[in-house]
Amino acid sequence: DAGVTQSPTHLIKTRGQQVTLRCSPISGHKSVSWYQQVLGQGPQFIFQYYEKEERGRGNFPDRFSARQFPNYSSELNVNALLLGDSALYLCASSSNTPGESRPLHFGNGTRLTVT
Amino acid sequence: GESVGLHLPTLSVQEGDNSIINCAYSNSASDYFIWYKQESGKGPQFIIDIRSNMDKRQGQRVTVLLNKTVKHLSLQIAATQPGDSAVYFCAERGKGYNKLIFGAGTRLAVHP
């Protein structure tokens, strides 16, 4: 079975532009989460979606938004890009319902560079 | 690929030795903990997890120990191999929350 897949793998944007990142979860997983990983640090939580509803949001500005589709795939949108948005954006899926204790499985991320 | 954890603390071990990676977590209410391994250019890979009602759990060549009294988590890797070289992160989930909070990470360097 395929793992979590993310596209694109790399992206270069300029300040002020908008970007959309895509994620397909492991088959059968209904929960998708997004994390931002700045070089040299651990991933930071951005969003969690379960059954197409937002179930959690991290400490990120409103320029960050996401959605989950009926097939459980997800998109992360970032508007008005800043240099500080340069990071590895990770998508993770899990088979748990909210509150259950099951691990997140991560994709290999999208490397976003803002110039 | 991109280098993960350029300025992280590093644990250097000889191939075949046992490795112990430590992690202090922040929230005494956290009820679930996970260890991840991250290689350059890749996303974090699940290694092992443990719930707060346990203090030890074993997997293949790995053991996680949880000490709730001092909010400490450790990952033991037996017979460390060159393929174990990576950055290791612990993550905690607070009770009632859906997000994972990651630690700063430790780089494990295995020397032949």
Side-chain angles (χ1 to χ4, degrees):
Chain A
D1 279 345
V4 176
T5 57
Q6 294 186 242
S7 64
T9 55
H10 293 80
L11 204 50
I12 299 174
K13 292 284 189 178
T14 57
R15 280 175 294 178
Q17 285 189 315
Q18 175 264 341
V19 68
T20 298
L21 311 180
R22 295 177 175 82
C23 171
S24 292
I26 292 171
S27 178
H29 286 190
K30 298 180 179 179
S31 177
V32 170
S33 300
W34 287 94
Y35 285 76
Q36 181 196 64
Q37 186 175 26
V38 174
L39 204 59
Q41 298 180 17
Q44 282 202 301
F45 174 75
I46 310 175
F47 286 110
Q48 189 207 16
Y49 277 78
Y50 176 76
E51 287 281 16
K52 303 180 289 296
E53 290 188 7
E54 183 182 305
R55 295 301 184 110
R57 183 184 182 113
N59 188 23
F60 281 81
D62 292 343
R63 299 185 295 109
F64 289 76
S65 64
R67 54 180 175 168
Q68 187 177 31
F69 298 99
N71 66 353
Y72 304 109
S73 67
S74 179
E75 286 183 351
L76 175 70
N77 296 284
V78 187
N79 294 321
L81 285 166
L82 303 174
L83 295 179
D85 295 331
S86 295
L88 181 67
Y89 288 86
L90 294 162
C91 176
S93 74
S94 69
S95 58
N96 62 311
T97 56
E100 275 191 314
S101 299
R102 296 189 188 180
L104 272 62
H105 298 274
F106 286 86
N108 286 328
T110 294
R111 170 66 62 185
L112 173 64
T113 302
V114 182
T115 62
Chain B
E2 294 281 348
S3 179
V4 174
L6 294 176
H7 303 292
L8 294 174
T10 298
L11 174 65
S12 294
V13 300
Q14 291 293 124
E15 182 178 356
D17 286 352
N18 296 333
S19 303
I20 300 176
I21 301 172
N22 297 303
C23 174
Y25 64 90
S26 58
N27 188 351
S28 57
S30 293
D31 65 349
Y32 181 55
F33 305 87
I34 310 176
W35 279 99
Y36 285 95
K37 170 187 179 183
Q38 189 172 26
E39 298 172 284
S40 285
K42 295 187 177 181
Q45 177 188 356
F46 169 75
I47 302 174
I48 192 168
D49 59 358
I50 188 168
R51 291 170 178 74
S52 59
N53 60 354
M54 305 170 69
D55 52 22
K56 180 180 180 178
R57 190 165 188 224
Q58 289 184 293
Q60 187 177 11
R61 278 202 310 119
V62 294
T63 300
V64 55
L65 299 177
L66 175 63
N67 185 331
K68 294 181 286 294
T69 303
V70 294
K71 294 190 290 186
H72 184 268
L73 201 64
S74 69
L75 177 70
Q76 300 177 359
I77 305 173
T80 314
Q81 303 167 0
D84 295 326
S85 293
V87 176
Y88 288 79
F89 292 99
C90 66
E92 62 181 296
R93 189 194 71 185
K95 196 170 186 178
Y97 291 90
N98 294 313
K99 68 178 183 182
L100 291 181
I101 300 170
F102 282 77
T106 298
R107 176 184 302 282
L108 177 65
V110 183
H111 303 287

